Amino acid sequence: MSSTTLGAAPVPAVPPKIETPFHRFVAEFAASPIAVGALVVFAIIALVAILAPWIAPQNPYDLAVLDIMDGRLEPGSVGGTGITHWLGTDDQGRDMLSGIMYGLRISLTVGAGSALIACLVGASLGMLAAYAGGRTDSAIMRLVDLQLSFPAILAALMILAFLGKGILNVVIAIVVVEWAYYARTVRGSALVERRREYIEAAQCLALPTHRVIFRHLLPNCLPPLIVVGTMQIARAIALEATLSFLGLGVPITEPSLGLLIANGYEYMLSGKYWISFYPGIALLVTIVSINLVGDQLRDVLNPRLKK
Amino acid sequence: MTVYLLRRLIQAAGVVLAMSLLVFLGVYAIGDPVEILISPDADQIERERAIRSLGLDLPLWEQYLVFLGKALQGDLGRSFVFNEPALRLILDRMPATLELAVGATVAAIIIGLPLGLYAGLRPDSAVSKAIMAGSILGFSLPTFWVGLMLIMVFAVQLGWLPSTGRGETVEVLGVRWSFLTWNGLSHMILPAINLSLFKISLVIRLTRAGVREAMLMDYVKFARAKGLSPNRVVFVHVFKNILIPVVTVVGLEFGGTIAFSVVTESIFAWPGMGKLIIDSINVLDRPVMVAYLMVIVLMFVVINLVVDITYTVLDPRVRLEGKA
């Protein structure tokens, strides 16, 4: 989607029957039924997250509709408020299904949001490194190497230890942890692309540098960036869930899936599995579907795998 | 070689220095150092005396030098909670973490190698496909959630294994170890498997790829032509050759395992460094946080250094690149 806005050079009027690169891309992506299935599943998850306030059986954070007497009901039982709790309730009497729908909203927003910011920061720095070269390049890449030599969970822990909890701080931590992947990817493909004739041609036309970078170089570096971006969204969601599970992530007032799982932890030992189990399944399905889509994108967008 | 080594050492020292500056700024610039380093229970006079004795009235760069000097002498402050030197507190917990990480690495090899071998030898069988699907799950599953499920199944429902703590320990060389008693070992099984999940998948994939590649090699054909039994071909000739990449990658992953033990230790209440840091963050025991970060940075720099040097010794191409 961003490729169409970025490559916004006058769109030639294409007769509908002729095969465009986009059509070819769609056809190749659809060749794998698993990937299409994963995309559909992810679309449903995203839709559920967006529509949660309208389709959830109850608003789990409206204290007026909660009844503490409904606490820790088993899946399928009917609570005092007349709602059937298909996935049971947590210790506060919240409907787990509704909790998961709202949790998905937070998990997806934080995950996708921070992955997007990391993409912007990382891609800009990677592009700068490739275009400027020399000292700038080696300084940025040294930083990338340093960042990548420390495991993500550790770096994020470090940042949250100093900044404290909160959604914004989690986003900052994920951005700091992830930008290096984008920077490395973009630099790699930009180094190859900038030696091509069309860049030379653009430079010969004395186009301003920013125009060469954003209108000519960047659109051609997009395919690998899209692949990395997809995978990193899944990683960001998993990282956010892990941090929230450890109690260093989102605040208790805005529980993501990770925090929901953490809430059920103490009840698990007494056999009340559903409080942790179902949010975990939701998290798992989300991550796996994104990874499967990313896998297929990599196969389709990688020119080396083309026959 | 010596020049390369020296340069690599200086680089490593540079990284440690840079990280110490980061940690220092994290403590002193983002938070209020008075609040961070002086117990909140202290009264006004105590506070002022502490500010002077901690040198907080000095300019920032001078404070950093003092911090650095003390850190070099192994003084990273005292824990508010335990009232012990923060560094000793962390070093006390380190064996538990190392034990768990080594246990996870061993588990990854014991479980991953045979599965990968099978999947590599019979790539088209249904069992192999199930193994490979499982390894994809191993990469995607949120580890902390799997830990909870392990507790639910094996500790709560089946009641086979304990889910928290280290169990009985035996003191050897002044350090307590769990794996030497049956009870301690049974406490270690669930956390070690949980921590090794990602590595099992990794080992399966590496072994499978290695076996499939090796089976097509001339030396395997030759061994077969000599009339050696299939078992001997696989377990002596192929096995030896696939072990090298597997061991390398598993070794490289060791640092990551120690880092990720933060999560596993929290789930299984394993009293290692990881649980200590999470507890310290939750009660804002900043000296312990600072000490943990410095220790872990040092550990990672050392691991990376060792890996790089080993590579240089094993692979002459890296050496040449360093010279160019």
Side-chain angles (χ1 to χ4, degrees):
Chain A
M1 61 192 140
S2 47
S3 67
T4 48
T5 49
L6 282 167
V11 180
V14 183
K17 289 283 165 159
I18 287 178
E19 192 191 52
T20 65
F22 182 70
H23 285 145
R24 209 181 312 134
F25 167 72
V26 171
E28 280 177 22
F29 185 86
S32 158
I34 295 177
V36 174
L39 191 63
V40 170
V41 169
F42 180 70
I44 293 171
I45 290 173
L47 217 61
V48 165
I50 295 167
L51 298 178
W54 294 280
I55 59 173
Q58 71 170 205
N59 177 356
Y61 307 111
D62 180 2
L63 293 175
V65 301
L66 297 182
D67 186 349
I68 199 90
M69 295 300 285
D70 287 346
R72 303 194 288 281
L73 289 178
E74 286 201 26
S77 44
V78 181
T81 46
I83 302 173
T84 311
H85 301 291
W86 294 111
L87 302 182
T89 60
D90 71 1
D91 52 337
Q92 302 291 318
R94 279 189 200 115
D95 178 47
M96 281 316 294
L97 181 63
S98 314
I100 289 171
M101 287 176 170
Y102 277 78
L104 268 174
R105 266 167 95 84
I106 295 161
S107 287
L108 285 181
T109 317
V110 173
S114 48
L116 208 69
I117 300 172
C119 179
L120 280 179
V121 174
S124 316
L125 284 173
M127 195 60 87
L128 179 69
Y131 205 83
R135 271 175 193 281
T136 322
D137 184 24
S138 57
I140 292 175
M141 290 326 284
R142 204 34 76 75
L143 211 59
V144 167
D145 286 343
L146 187 65
Q147 182 72 59
L148 293 181
S149 66
F150 287 91
I153 180 87
L154 203 72
L157 211 68
M158 225 165 164
I159 294 159
L160 288 175
F162 290 128
L163 296 183
K165 292 179 198 183
I167 286 191
L168 185 66
N169 292 345
V170 172
V171 172
I172 293 174
I174 297 177
V175 169
V176 170
V177 167
E178 289 204 336
W179 71 274
Y181 292 94
Y182 296 96
R184 197 175 53 173
T185 310
V186 168
R187 176 181 176 268
S189 45
L191 274 182
V192 176
E193 291 295 329
R194 69 169 295 207
R195 288 187 226 293
R196 297 275 169 88
E197 277 96 353
Y198 68 88
I199 297 294
E200 220 171 285
Q203 283 168 335
C204 286
L205 287 174
L207 294 178
T209 311
H210 64 87
R211 200 186 152 92
V212 177
I213 292 181
F214 288 107
R215 297 292 281 272
H216 297 261
L217 195 51
L218 187 60
N220 286 293
C221 299
L222 275 181
L225 193 60
I226 292 171
V227 176
V228 172
T230 316
M231 300 293 203
Q232 291 300 323
I233 290 177
R235 273 179 56 114
I237 292 174
L239 186 60
E240 183 276 327
T242 308
L243 292 170
S244 296
F245 175 77
L246 291 173
L248 305 173
V250 296
I252 201 108
T253 48
E254 287 157 292
S256 64
L257 293 175
L259 199 57
L260 288 177
I261 296 170
N263 281 344
Y265 176 46
E266 52 183 310
Y267 301 107
M268 178 150 279
L269 293 176
S270 50
K272 296 180 172 53
Y273 67 91
W274 58 87
I275 308 176
S276 282
F277 181 74
Y278 292 116
I281 292 286
L283 185 63
L284 174 64
V285 172
T286 310
I287 293 173
V288 171
S289 64
I290 296 177
N291 276 339
L292 287 174
V293 170
D295 240 12
Q296 180 67 4
L297 280 180
R298 178 170 54 202
D299 291 350
V300 172
L301 292 175
N302 187 348
R304 248 177 289 159
L305 293 176
K306 290 263 165 67
K307 287 144 226 159
Chain B
M1 183 70 194
T2 335
V3 176
Y4 172 81
L5 238 154
L6 215 67
R7 223 172 54 189
R8 200 61 196 69
L9 265 173
I10 293 171
Q11 252 179 38
V15 170
V16 174
L17 208 66
M19 293 311 268
S20 77
L21 187 64
L22 264 180
V23 170
F24 174 81
L25 287 178
V27 179
Y28 288 78
I30 296 177
D32 178 4
V34 178
E35 223 166 86
I36 290 168
L37 294 169
I38 300 168
S39 155
D41 308 328
D43 62 27
Q44 198 56 41
I45 304 158
E46 267 181 69
R47 277 170 79 94
E48 269 166 27
R49 197 174 52 222
I51 286 176
R52 222 166 310 119
S53 75
L54 285 169
L56 291 177
D57 45 352
L58 299 172
L60 206 59
W61 64 269
E62 224 168 297
Q63 286 185 39
Y64 174 63
L65 288 184
V66 172
F67 166 79
L68 208 60
K70 278 191 178 170
L72 282 177
Q73 291 160 22
D75 177 7
L76 289 164
R78 289 178 85 82
S79 159
F80 299 152
V81 178
F82 299 92
N83 197 25
E84 267 183 61
L87 190 63
R88 188 180 344 136
L89 214 56
I90 284 162
L91 294 181
D92 275 352
R93 311 286 170 108
M94 200 186 262
T97 298
L98 288 179
E99 184 179 53
L100 190 61
V102 170
T105 306
V106 172
I109 291 174
I110 291 178
I111 300 173
L113 262 185
L115 291 179
L117 204 60
Y118 184 88
L121 290 174
R122 293 199 178 75
D124 295 320
S125 82
V127 178
S128 298
K129 288 199 173 124
I131 292 173
M132 293 322 285
S135 83
I136 294 178
L137 270 186
F139 280 126
S140 309
L141 282 168
T143 309
F144 66 97
W145 184 70
V146 179
L148 292 186
M149 292 303 116
L150 285 175
I151 291 182
M152 190 182 90
V153 174
F154 292 102
V156 178
Q157 309 264 332
L158 298 173
W160 288 353
L161 293 164
S163 64
T164 51
R166 271 183 95 177
E168 284 168 31
T169 53
V170 175
E171 195 162 313
V172 177
L173 300 172
V175 181
R176 296 187 303 131
W177 303 101
S178 286
F179 73 99
L180 294 171
T181 67
W182 176 239
N183 180 279
L185 198 63
S186 71
H187 277 82
M188 225 176 105
I189 292 175
L190 285 184
I193 286 184
N194 184 222
L195 190 55
S196 67
L197 216 68
F198 178 83
K199 275 152 59 108
I200 292 176
S201 308
L202 197 66
V203 172
I204 289 178
R205 305 212 132 216
L206 282 171
T207 313
R208 175 175 175 271
V211 170
R212 293 196 66 181
E213 213 172 285
M215 290 308 276
L216 302 173
M217 298 295 231
D218 287 340
Y219 70 86
V220 173
K221 279 184 199 153
F222 178 66
R224 277 199 189 135
K226 271 202 305 190
L228 295 181
S229 75
N231 275 341
R232 197 176 157 80
V233 174
V234 170
F235 287 103
V236 177
H237 295 253
V238 172
F239 208 62
K240 255 191 210 161
N241 284 285
I242 57 165
L243 265 180
I244 300 165
V246 171
V247 168
T248 315
V249 172
V250 167
L252 278 177
E253 271 286 303
F254 193 70
T257 311
I258 289 177
F260 215 82
S261 70
V262 169
V263 179
T264 302
E265 283 174 15
S266 298
I267 299 169
F268 292 93
W270 186 265
M273 300 194 293
K275 183 152 171 33
L276 178 72
I277 179 69
I278 296 293
D279 293 345
S280 301
I281 291 175
N282 280 328
V283 296
L284 287 179
D285 194 350
R286 307 267 179 143
V288 178
M289 281 154 60
V290 170
Y292 175 83
L293 293 180
M294 291 314 297
V295 167
I296 212 91
V297 163
L298 203 64
M299 211 149 135
F300 263 90
V301 169
V302 170
I303 290 177
N304 286 341
L305 190 67
V306 169
V307 167
D308 275 7
I309 291 174
T310 321
Y311 267 177
T312 325
V313 173
L314 292 179
D315 189 347
R317 276 173 303 181
V318 181
R319 238 177 357 236
L320 292 175
E321 207 176 288
K323 257 178 213 162

